[in-house]
Each structure stands twice: as structure tokens, then as C-alpha cells.
Amino acid sequence: MIRPSTLATAPPSAAVSSWTRRLLAVAPPPLSPPDVIRILYDEELPTPRLLAILQRDLPLGLAVLLEAQQRLRQGQVESLAHAVGVLGLRGLWRVVERLAAHPFDPRQPAHRLYAEAVATSRLAAHLAAQLAPAGTPETRQRLMWEMQVQTMAEWRLPLAAPDVAQRMAARIAAGERPTHVERDLLGCPLHALNAALAQHFGFVEPDDPRATVWLQARRLAQAARHAWIDAHPPPLPDDVGRWLYRPSTLRSLLHWLAQEAMRSWYSPRTRLLCDALSAHRHWRVGDVVAATRRAALAASHEMLTRGVVVAPAARLFWAPWVRPRRGPGADATAAAAPASAGVHTGGPAAARHPTPGSTARPLIERFAADCQRGRHPDVGAFFRAFQHALDEGLGLRRCALFLKTTQAAQLVCYMAHGFGGSIVPRQTTVALQGEHVLARLFAQPGAFLLAEPARVAHLRTRLPASLQRALLPSGAMWGTVQVRQRAVGVLWADTGSADAPVDTTQYAGFKRLMHHFGPGLTRLMQLRRAAFTATRPPDEH
């Protein structure tokens, strides 16, 4: 697990050398509570229990590994069990006593940042266990430790320079790119300090290509475009494949995914990293996402600082985090974020709903991307995302979905939002016989119709009697829900206000959303049907 150190092939920069000395001067405190630390002094403590404590407490386990490597005259320490065998109980107790002299204090902001960084490292290790190529348990355990020790600088920095660490965290939260902040405050990127510490302790050779955890944004975007979304994985171009399968790329993807996920599991960068991992592992994107969820649960289950750091799995319930933008475009970008988007109710039509390129386009593209990648976990989440794109993006406050029943030639309202009693789910039905608007739309897969205010009076007479009262003077729009060129239903949308007429901008956005609505809904209905079949008890004979 630990390799003897050798001389570096190139001298580090002055900033790297200076910060490495500062980081080595601190002793990371163990995260286990005092009662668990006391258990380690029990001579009768079973070895599996001892190893479990060391495995769970990253700083303590790492200190044991490093002490054992210094004692070992030849070869390298392969595991925690090996390290404990080299040290013996008295040697282990000396390590524990040295670290416990400076206990973890969650009241200190620096210690809270330290605990956050350790939790991120642990999440990276569990991501490696879930997403790395299959191997023996020993190989997987070794990979998990290597992932953790290659981020040592990140959890030592708050202890060595609390003010610098707090300024870094604040600037990154304000929207600055981490690499820019690191170079400004440290004079070098953090990945260079991670590599320097890993080399100092002998975890990697100085010329080991795995030592550098770093990603090129351009290459990352290229790899993400080859994620497995459709029936078969897309072929990788030679240059993308060469970059993806470098020794350091997988570790870098997992490292950055852990960091980004601790900020938001739903950010564009998190999705980009999952797509790139899909291309690397030749897994479907949905399988990659499922693996990250398993990693989050495993990392959360063994956390020692739950009252200090929010567990990775708990962050799955956080609302999507939108990175603030700095500079001249900050206001426009902030207006485009879902968390701050709004639809104005007064003024001319152009001000009542967003124009393309402000709120509408990001929300539409996000809905389309989530449908293509299967990111909606269930039908309820799918409808909420669709309604959010209609409402906040296009100013279409009402919508109703009519689906064809299997046993009768009629449409039944499956979902309605904003219509009150004029259209009621599972109660409002529309016969498909006749020449009314919905029947004619259903007969033409891919058809759309815009009822502008000037046409409302005429089109109201072409609606079934049960729906005529629901059509507002401001107009409406309808679109056919289709799957594989076959119509399965019709969707109605409007502004919900007689004083807010529909227009062609909303109509264009509506058609773009509907292009992805049918396939996305079908996938989720199939999953629901499969889950019901799997849980239904077998028939008794």
C-alpha cells in the first residue's frame, strides 16, 4: 500500500515546498469520540473490532499506516492489519496517544472544515469502491485508501492555515472557480500539494502518473458527450479514449465528483462528471448515478461527525445548488437560476414571461437533458419538473394531461394543475369520436395547435362541451403526446390568467418541452409497471 519514497524527478515550486512544510507540521486529530479512543487501549479488544475502528477513522488509520512504514526496514505496508502487526499494541498505543493529545473540537470553524474535507475524501473512497473496475477485496480496499491519502492536503489545510481555508471556502461558495481561488491564495493548485504529500509519505512515486489528480475541462466535456444514454454505448474517438484511460483519469473523475457532490448532487458539473464516468466505464448513465447513491449511503453510514458535517446521503435531499456568477453577467445569470426565477404579473406581454436565453432556455434544456439521461426518479418528480419548466420558464401556469384508456375510445385526464374544478384528474373524460379539437390532434401524432386570443371564440365551439368553460379568453395551446410516432395523449397548457395572452415564444418553448415529454413519461410508467409486477405476490393455484 505504501511505497518507499524516492527523489522527485523535478523540483517542486517554492509555493508547493513552503505549503508542504506547513501541512506536515500539523497533526490531524482523530475523529472517533473519546470513549472509542479508550477502547483501543484494551488488551482484550478483538482484532476485527480494532481494525474496524481504525478503518472508520481516516486520520487515525492513516497515522498507523505511516508509523508502521517507518518501522518496516524492508518492503511496504500492505494493509491496516499488516500495520498493526508491525507496530504491536504498544506501538499502536503510542500513535493513538500522540494524536489524542490534540482532540477534535467541533466548536472550532477550522475543525469543522477539516471534518468536511475528511468526509469528502471518504466519499471519494466509496465512489472508487462502487465505480472502479472489479477486483479482489484487497485490491478494492487498497484503492479506497489510495483515494483518501491522495487528498491529504485538503483536510490538513484548515488545520495549518484556518484563515486561508475559510477564505477559500467563502470565495468558492460565492461562485469563483476553485482552481482560481487556490492559485490566488496558495500560489499553487491544491492537487499539487496533494501529490507532494502523497510522495513525501511514500504512497506514490514522484513520477507515478497517478499522483496528479487533475482534469482538463475540454477533455471532460468531450468524454461526457459519449455517455451511454441510448440502447448501445456510443463508440469513443481515439483521442477521447486515450485521455479517458490514462492512469490518473479515473481517480481524478472520482475525486472531483466527490467534491462537487458534497456541494450539490444535481449541479451541471456533477452531471458532467457522471456522464464522463459513463463513457469511461461503459455503463449506462442511470447505472452510474445508482452507484453514486450507493456510495453516498455507505459513506454516510460510517460517518463519525454526523452532528458536525451533513452526511453525503442527506445532501441528496438538498435543492439543486446554482453556482453564483461574478462579473457583469451576474444579475442576468442569477435571474436564470430556478431558485430565483419568477414570472412577472404586470406590464406588457414581453415582461410577463422570460424570453429565450434567460430563464426559459436553461429550464427547457435541463428538463430535456434529465429526460434523455433518465434522471427523474419517479412520475411525481417528472411532473413537478415539467410544471416547473412550464410555469417558471414559460409563464404557463396551468396544464392538463389527457391519456387514452386501453379499454375505450376516450381520453381521461391523468393530471391537472391549476384548473380547479373545470378539469379534474380521473373524472374528466373526452370521447375520441367526432371532429373536436382534441380528437383531431390525437389523430395526428406530433401535431400542435395554438389558440391565440383572436381565435378563442371559434375554437371554443370546437371543444367538447365539458371543456369549453376551461378555455380562457387569453388562449391556450395543445400538443400531442407521442411515443415511437404513435399518439398516446394530448396535453393542454395556458397562462392561467385572462389578462395574460399566450404568444408564439411560449408556443415554441412548449413544443420543445413536448418533444421530450412522451418518451420521459413512458420510461417512468414502464418502471412503475415493472416494480408493481416484481412486488406482486404470485397467484395461488
Side-chain angles (χ1 to χ4, degrees), residues 368-444:
D370 288 349
C371 287
Q372 291 172 342
R373 289 162 172 76
R375 290 183 179 130
H376 298 115
D378 52 47
V379 175
F382 173 80
F383 282 144
R384 287 192 296 272
F386 180 72
Q387 290 169 4
H388 182 71
L390 284 177
D391 188 344
E392 300 293 347
L394 296 171
L396 299 173
R397 302 298 181 91
R398 302 198 307 179
C399 62
L401 173 64
F402 297 86
L403 296 178
K404 184 182 181 301
T405 59
T406 56
Q407 299 177 352
Q410 66 177 5
L411 297 174
V412 177
C413 178
Y414 184 84
M415 176 274 296
H417 175 72
F419 283 90
S422 59
I423 297 180
V424 181
R426 305 190 185 280
Q427 295 184 22
T428 304
T429 61
V430 177
L432 286 175
Q433 294 86 1
E435 292 294 316
H436 61 78
V437 169
L438 270 63
R440 296 189 64 178
L441 281 169
F442 187 84
Q444 305 175 59

Side-chain angles (χ1 to χ4, degrees), residues 221-356:
Q222 289 176 339
R225 285 196 288 269
H226 295 84
W228 185 355
I229 298 170
D230 299 321
H232 303 286
L236 287 176
D238 291 342
D239 59 331
V240 176
R242 283 192 296 270
W243 178 80
L244 270 178
Y245 296 111
R246 293 185 315 171
S248 65
T249 298
L250 179 58
R251 295 164 185 260
S252 299
L253 289 171
L254 297 172
H255 170 80
W256 291 114
L257 178 58
Q259 286 200 327
E260 193 66 32
M262 291 293 277
R263 284 190 282 269
S264 172
W265 284 100
Y266 309 106
S267 71
R269 188 169 178 82
T270 301
R271 297 175 183 180
L272 189 72
L273 289 162
C274 287
D275 289 349
L277 282 165
S278 168
H280 183 286
R281 299 294 292 119
H282 289 287
W283 288 8
R284 295 181 185 276
V285 172
D287 294 335
V288 172
V289 172
T292 65
R293 303 309 190 251
R294 291 193 297 270
L297 289 172
S300 302
H301 178 70
E302 63 181 25
M303 278 190 66
L304 296 170
T305 54
R306 286 198 185 97
V308 181
V309 178
V310 179
R315 299 174 192 231
L316 289 166
F317 298 97
W318 285 4
W321 180 76
V322 179
R323 184 185 299 277
R325 298 293 297 272
R326 301 172 66 89
D331 295 338
T333 305
S340 60
V343 179
H344 300 286
T345 57
R352 269 196 309 274
H353 56 267
T355 57

Side-chain angles (χ1 to χ4, degrees), residues 48-274:
R49 170 67 170 147
L50 170 64
L51 294 177
I53 293 174
L54 298 179
Q55 180 72 30
R56 192 174 182 182
D57 192 329
L58 171 56
L60 183 57
L62 180 58
V64 171
L65 285 170
L66 295 175
E67 185 72 18
Q69 183 60 56
Q70 293 176 2
R71 298 281 189 89
L72 199 63
R73 295 184 178 182
Q74 294 181 348
Q76 61 187 43
V77 176
E78 296 291 343
S79 64
L80 272 174
H82 186 195
V84 172
V86 170
L87 293 177
L89 282 180
R90 296 191 182 278
L92 171 66
W93 293 342
R94 282 193 290 270
V95 174
V96 174
E97 186 176 4
R98 184 176 70 248
L99 292 184
H102 305 282
F104 174 70
D105 184 0
R107 296 170 297 179
Q108 297 185 32
H111 281 218
R112 291 197 295 271
L113 288 175
Y114 159 71
E116 176 92 10
V118 172
T120 303
S121 295
R122 196 62 180 158
L123 176 59
H126 281 285
L127 287 171
Q130 293 290 336
L131 288 161
T136 64
E138 293 77 12
T139 302
R140 194 172 293 269
Q141 197 64 238
R142 184 179 301 116
L143 176 61
M144 291 181 68
W145 272 103
E146 289 176 353
M147 287 296 302
Q148 292 171 125
V149 301
Q150 289 187 25
T151 56
M152 283 187 292
E154 296 168 21
W155 40 275
R156 283 175 173 253
L157 181 63
L159 304 174
D163 293 342
V164 173
Q166 290 180 33
R167 290 204 304 272
M168 285 181 59
R171 288 176 59 174
I172 292 172
E176 293 190 60
R177 286 292 177 187
T179 51
H180 297 164
V181 178
E182 292 163 10
R183 291 184 182 277
D184 184 29
L185 296 179
L186 304 177
C188 60
L190 257 178
H191 69 74
L193 298 180
N194 283 326
L197 288 182
Q199 293 168 21
H200 173 84
F201 288 120
F203 283 99
V204 294
E205 300 286 354
D207 57 351
D208 191 330
R210 299 173 300 174
T212 301
V213 180
W214 182 63
L215 290 175
Q216 297 171 294
R218 179 176 61 87
R219 290 295 191 187
L220 178 62
Q222 289 176 339
R225 285 196 288 269
H226 295 84
W228 185 355
I229 298 170
D230 299 321
H232 303 286
L236 287 176
D238 291 342
D239 59 331
V240 176
R242 283 192 296 270
W243 178 80
L244 270 178
Y245 296 111
R246 293 185 315 171
S248 65
T249 298
L250 179 58
R251 295 164 185 260
S252 299
L253 289 171
L254 297 172
H255 170 80
W256 291 114
L257 178 58
Q259 286 200 327
E260 193 66 32
M262 291 293 277
R263 284 190 282 269
S264 172
W265 284 100
Y266 309 106
S267 71
R269 188 169 178 82
T270 301
R271 297 175 183 180
L272 189 72
L273 289 162
C274 287

Side-chain angles (χ1 to χ4, degrees), residues 13-30:
S13 69
V16 171
S17 299
S18 174
W19 275 108
T20 300
R21 288 193 295 271
R22 291 184 66 176
L23 297 176
L24 290 172
V26 299

